[in-house]
């Protein structure tokens, strides 16, 4: 039986996948061939959900998604649902590269 937090997390993963034209991964990326929670053609997203007002982001989580995304040829993103708001965290390098591409478009 899933907890309310797990249900909400899956709901947000599905919403995010739809927004980016991607898919959710079965078992939240537990299989070796499909890591991360959400993937699109260019992004690999690890998603964290909490209804609380704060959370801790550990470097191990960022390094894990970074390593998995790079091996998969995708941009690593950490998605966070925190206290009713949705955020994404990405490396400064990827942020600046996306910003440059947007300027050129």
């Amino acid at each position: 039986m899933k907890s309310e937090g797990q249900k909400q997390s899956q709901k947000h993963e599905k919403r995010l996948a739809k927004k980016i034209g991607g898919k959710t991964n079965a078992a939240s990326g537990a299989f070796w061939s499909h890591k991360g929670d959400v993937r699109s053609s260019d992004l690999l997203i690890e998603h964290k959900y909490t209804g609380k007002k704060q959370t801790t982001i550990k470097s191990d989580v960022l390094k894990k998604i970074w390593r998995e995304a790079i091996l998969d040829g995708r941009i690593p993103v950490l998605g966070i649902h925190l206290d009713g708001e949705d955020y994404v965290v990405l490396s400064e390098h990827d942020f600046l590269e996306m910003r440059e591409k947007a300027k050129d478009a």
Side-chain angles (χ1 to χ4, degrees), residues 55-105:
T55 192
T56 300
I57 301 172
K58 296 185 178 182
S59 66
D60 290 354
V61 171
L62 294 171
K63 288 176 183 176
K64 174 185 174 288
I65 191 65
W66 182 85
R67 183 175 52 255
E68 292 169 353
I70 297 305
L71 290 173
D72 208 21
R74 290 175 166 76
I75 298 169
V77 178
L78 176 63
I80 304 170
H81 180 86
L82 179 68
D83 191 30
E85 298 292 333
D86 297 303
Y87 302 93
V88 294
V89 177
L90 59 154
S91 73
E92 180 179 283
H93 171 81
D94 291 331
F95 168 72
L96 293 173
E97 191 173 298
M98 287 177 161
R99 190 169 184 263
E100 280 301 311
K101 285 180 183 177
K103 278 185 189 178
D104 294 340

